[in-house]
Amino acid sequence: MFHKLNQKYPAPKPELRSIITAILFGLFVGLFLLFFEPFDINLSTHKNKTIELLFFGAITTIILLVFLYLFPLLFPEVFSDMRWKVKHQIVFYLIVLFVIATFNGLYTIYINDFDFSWANYWWIIYRTYILGGIPLAFIVLIDQQRKAKMNAGQAQTMLNSIKDFEKDTTETSYRIATDLKNETISFAEDDFYYAVATGNYIDIYISTKVSLKKETYRLALSSLEAQLDTTSLVRCHRSYLVNLKKVKNVSGNAQGLKLTFNNQLDIVPVTRKYIPIVKQFFLKN
């Protein structure tokens, strides 16, 4: 069980998917409470009772937007796939559930004109965790296994298609303009392995006779990508661009794919968004 908790899991990302999830989940909560009114959640006889119940969904959506989108946007180093595991995702969801239960619980007390008491507050938290906490933990565990199995299968499909790419008779070279005036980057495509974005800079890894050499330039990864004209050097992650002709091994886990080269030391991640692009390259070549 503890081994499963330490498995890799995709960290929350500030993307459109997170916004849609927050809206849909809030809509579900609002409509569920409107039609079923569990636990006598609204005993008031106000004319705007429907709006009061739907506002539970609005509270849920706002909290989810903060946790699923805003926090990952503001603190990318915390929500990093490098360190994110199943146990972190479960704890994260439990914290989100606690905040939602707290605000919705206080709102319940408000619309029903109840006096606040810690007994009622902890009763709300307790019922919320019984109804939502345990199922969420199992959902994360099941989802991790599903993602890992799916990505491992895709990795194997690509691995079966990988072969030694023949070097072109006419070698392609690039001259890339950086953000610094009069500075350019020159490299041959066959020497390029991958590039990593680090803030306003990128680290480019170029092959030498003995190892990979790292060169740092002031340049956005998107700007480098825009100046390339090739199907081999592609974006595979928001922070990585890789030369797929140099990949010798592909593996998969719940977070996505991992690409390695001949040295087996440098590892380049492929996130869900870019898996189809990488897969298409290997299958076509």
Side-chain angles (χ1 to χ4, degrees):
M1 179 64 180
F2 291 106
H3 171 70
K4 292 181 179 179
L5 293 176
N6 284 313
Q7 295 292 317
K8 292 285 188 177
Y9 195 85
K13 295 291 186 297
E15 53 190 13
L16 180 61
R17 182 188 181 94
S18 301
I19 297 176
I20 295 174
T21 299
I23 294 173
L24 291 179
F25 196 81
L27 186 62
F28 168 79
V29 169
L31 293 176
F32 177 82
L33 296 179
L34 177 63
F35 286 105
F36 296 100
E37 295 192 37
F39 318 126
D40 295 325
I41 198 166
N42 191 347
L43 300 175
S44 69
T45 58
H46 300 163
K47 293 181 179 180
N48 57 350
K49 186 174 182 178
T50 298
I51 297 177
E52 288 180 342
L53 288 172
L54 289 176
F55 196 70
F56 282 100
I59 293 173
T60 301
T61 294
I62 293 171
I63 293 172
L64 287 175
L65 285 173
V66 170
F67 278 90
L68 298 181
Y69 188 89
L70 185 60
F71 283 171
L73 181 66
L74 296 177
F75 309 106
E77 65 282 353
V78 175
F79 296 90
S80 168
D81 283 345
M82 296 294 292
R83 59 176 66 91
W84 204 261
K85 298 178 180 179
V86 170
K87 60 185 179 183
H88 299 132
Q89 187 70 18
I90 292 176
V91 171
F92 176 74
Y93 276 159
L94 292 179
I95 293 174
V96 173
L97 201 62
F98 177 82
V99 175
I100 291 174
T102 296
F103 277 87
N104 279 338
L106 294 174
Y107 180 62
T108 300
I109 294 172
Y110 169 75
I111 62 176
N112 288 292
D113 296 323
F114 292 156
D115 292 329
F116 176 83
S117 72
W118 286 107
N120 287 336
Y121 172 74
W122 290 117
W123 180 85
I124 293 170
I125 300 298
Y126 168 76
R127 295 302 292 265
T128 300
Y129 274 100
I130 290 297
L131 293 175
I134 296 176
L136 274 176
F138 279 104
I139 287 173
V140 172
L141 289 170
I142 294 171
D143 188 53
Q144 188 277 331
Q145 292 180 343
R146 181 187 64 83
K147 284 184 169 68
K149 184 177 180 180
M150 179 183 67
N151 290 331
Q154 298 208 67
Q156 188 59 50
T157 299
M158 297 180 204
L159 196 57
N160 293 337
S161 302
I162 289 181
K163 60 182 180 180
D164 292 327
F165 294 98
E166 294 182 0
K167 189 174 181 180
D168 296 334
T169 55
T170 56
E171 187 175 273
T172 304
S173 297
Y174 292 97
R175 193 176 185 86
I176 307 296
T178 72
D179 292 342
L180 298 181
K181 187 177 181 180
N182 298 326
E183 182 187 55
T184 59
I185 311 168
S186 298
F187 60 84
E189 181 175 308
D190 192 58
D191 293 332
F192 181 94
Y193 273 69
Y194 66 99
V196 188
T198 55
N200 295 324
Y201 294 83
I202 58 169
D203 295 330
I204 296 179
Y205 290 80
I206 304 291
S207 64
T208 64
K209 293 182 179 179
V210 293
S211 62
L212 293 184
K213 178 185 177 182
K214 183 178 77 170
E215 299 176 352
T216 302
Y217 298 94
R218 186 175 179 83
L219 180 67
L221 196 62
S222 57
S223 180
L224 170 63
E225 184 181 20
Q227 297 182 65
L228 297 173
D229 183 21
T230 175
T231 59
S232 303
L233 277 57
V234 301
R235 192 77 165 261
C236 61
H237 184 281
R238 64 177 180 173
S239 301
Y240 285 83
L241 187 145
V242 65
N243 186 351
L244 293 177
K245 286 187 177 181
K246 295 298 182 180
V247 174
K248 296 302 178 184
N249 189 51
V250 184
S251 59
N253 59 23
Q255 293 178 337
L257 304 180
K258 306 293 181 184
L259 307 178
T260 53
F261 310 103
N262 282 333
N263 60 12
Q264 297 295 316
L265 297 176
D266 293 80
I267 299 175
V268 174
V270 182
T271 50
R272 180 181 64 251
K273 176 181 177 180
Y274 298 99
I275 286 178
I277 299 173
V278 175
K279 184 177 181 179
Q280 182 183 34
F281 174 85
F282 286 124
L283 295 182
K284 287 181 65 176
N285 288 277

